[in-house]
């Protein structure tokens, strides 16, 4: 579909990428180049003008370039993998607590049938909702401004859980109770000692435990000088996966 007023667009100029709303007063300058509303409106995605490619943003680009962040977010390299490890599909109900800026929820909600989400801090609860509404995301997410420990949820209710809080060990008994037998658990933790504490607390409650990290190493896409970029994000977090056992 051709671009219309109000669409979000991704502009690519050399190695720069910009995510912008296509409003009547839109214009962008980079070096000597300029691109305006009237250059884009009615054009097809992939169009090239004045040194800019005009595209529709993917979910990854929306999260990385369009979401306002006031917390650490789960980066798409991790959240897309977590979504598959959780076995999400339209028939599944996911529990998530520690919603923060709403980045990981935006990924999971695309694959899950419904998401029950809890965020204890009001400012982040509002921020996540604002990020989702801006891009029309997370319509199947039921979010509450609540500490997960106060959430009133049935036992054996969820098919999967994603936990993104500092000390998941504090919640592990309740998490176990609200999951169905065999359901999937996932979390992300920045340090190995947090992982060790969590593993101890999971003994006799969970099976099929896996710990891993994802190294994402982008390359400069020059066919004659193909090589990795000079800098990379070396660490985001350790991912822990497990299944609820009897
Ligand atoms: C690192 S952020 C989550 C980031 C989020 N996953 C994302 O990708 O945008 C952790 C969040 O957990 C929230 N939190 C901490 N303890 C919680 C609890 N017991 N129940 C609900 N939210 C909690 C914090 O307020 C914070 O916003």
């Amino acid at each position: 579909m051709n671009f219309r007023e109000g669409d979000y667009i991704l502009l690519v100029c050399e190695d720069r990428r910009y995510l912008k709303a296509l409003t009547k007063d839109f214009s962008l300058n980079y070096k000597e180049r300029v691109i305006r509303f009237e250059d884009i409106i009615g054009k097809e995605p992939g169009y090239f003008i004045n040194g800019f490619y005009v595209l529709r943003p993917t979910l990854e680009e929306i999260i990385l370039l369009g979401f306002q962040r006031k917390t650490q977010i789960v980066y798409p390299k991790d959240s897309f993998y977590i979504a598959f490890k959780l076995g999400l599909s339209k028939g599944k109900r996911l529990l998530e607590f520690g919603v923060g800026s709403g980045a990981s929820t935006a990924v999971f909600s695309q694959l899950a049938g419904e998401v029950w989400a809890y965020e204890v801090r009001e400012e982040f609860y509002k921020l996540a909702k604002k990020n989702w509404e801006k891009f029309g995301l997370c319509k199947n997410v039921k979010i509450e401004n609540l500490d997960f420990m106060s959430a009133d949820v049935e036992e054996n209710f969820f098919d999967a859980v994603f936990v993104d809080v500092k000390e998941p060990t504090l919640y592990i008994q309740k998490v176990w109770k609200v999951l169905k037998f065999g359901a999937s658990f996932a979390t992300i933790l920045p340090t190995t000692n947090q992982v060790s504490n969590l593993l101890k607390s999971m003994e006799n409650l969970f099976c099929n435990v896996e710990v891993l990290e994802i190294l994402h190493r982008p390359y400069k896409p020059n066919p004659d000088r193909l090589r990795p970029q000079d800098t990379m994000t070396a660490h985001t977090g350790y991912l822990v996966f497990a299944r609820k056992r009897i």
Side-chain angles (χ1 to χ4, degrees):
M1 198 197 293
N2 294 3
F3 290 112
R4 293 190 300 199
E5 188 180 347
D7 285 352
Y8 282 98
I9 51 171
L10 179 79
L11 294 165
V12 181
C13 185
E14 298 175 7
D15 57 355
R16 299 289 179 111
R17 297 181 313 152
Y18 307 87
L19 192 147
K20 299 283 176 192
L22 190 54
T23 51
K24 281 221 167 79
D25 58 352
F26 166 78
S27 85
L28 181 82
N29 293 61
Y30 178 59
K31 294 185 180 169
E32 301 292 284
R33 299 151 184 171
V34 61
I35 186 165
R36 298 190 176 84
F37 174 82
E38 54 271 21
D39 298 323
I40 303 169
I41 201 80
K43 301 293 189 323
E44 270 185 283
Y47 188 70
F48 182 73
I49 182 163
N50 299 347
F52 293 89
Y53 287 98
V54 193
L55 302 165
R56 285 195 194 280
T58 62
L59 180 59
E60 183 190 38
E61 287 147 356
I62 287 172
I63 291 170
L64 292 178
L65 302 172
F67 269 29
Q68 193 188 344
R69 302 179 203 173
K70 287 192 183 164
T71 63
Q72 179 60 261
I73 66 161
V74 181
Y75 279 80
K77 80 169 175 71
D78 294 314
S79 54
F80 286 105
Y81 185 72
I82 294 167
F84 280 103
K85 290 293 282 182
L86 287 173
L88 300 180
S89 66
K90 287 298 164 194
K92 301 275 173 77
R93 184 186 294 129
L94 172 73
L95 164 67
E96 182 178 2
F97 62 95
V99 170
S101 309
S104 51
T105 321
V107 173
F108 303 147
S109 86
Q110 301 265 312
L111 290 169
E114 55 185 79
V115 183
W116 292 42
Y118 299 91
E119 171 52 53
V120 70
R121 288 187 49 187
E122 191 182 10
E123 65 168 312
F124 302 144
Y125 160 82
K126 286 186 176 160
L127 175 67
K129 289 201 354 163
K130 195 171 136 202
N131 278 332
W132 301 338
E133 275 159 22
K134 183 170 173 190
F135 294 100
L137 298 168
C138 290
K139 300 215 165 89
N140 57 348
V141 176
K142 185 170 105 54
I143 182 169
E144 285 190 79
N145 178 200
L146 207 59
D147 184 322
F148 170 65
M149 283 313 260
S150 312
D152 183 16
V153 278
E154 277 176 44
E155 294 191 9
N156 304 320
F157 189 62
F158 293 102
D159 300 289
V161 62
F162 177 65
V163 182
D164 190 4
V165 298
K166 245 188 222 152
E167 292 188 81
T169 46
L170 300 177
Y171 309 91
I172 206 74
Q173 297 281 345
K174 181 165 175 177
V175 163
W176 184 88
K177 272 194 193 137
V178 302
L179 287 178
K180 294 178 185 171
F181 288 104
S184 305
F185 167 95
T187 191
I188 182 165
L189 290 164
T191 66
T192 55
N193 45 315
Q194 286 169 298
V195 176
S196 295
N197 288 339
L198 175 67
L199 294 177
K200 284 179 200 150
S201 73
M202 292 172 90
E203 279 169 10
N204 304 321
L205 296 175
F206 289 87
C207 60
N208 199 32
V209 179
E210 291 174 73
V211 181
L212 59 94
E213 61 180 319
I214 294 175
L215 302 181
H216 180 224
R217 192 180 188 203
Y219 277 59
K220 297 181 186 181
N222 177 338
D224 299 319
R225 281 178 48 78
L226 188 63
R227 46 163 288 187
Q229 285 179 9
D230 304 307
T231 56
M232 70 185 271
T233 304
H235 180 65
T236 51
Y238 300 102
L239 306 184
V240 181
F241 301 102
R243 307 289 287 273
K244 173 174 167 171
R245 56 164 276 194
I246 293 181

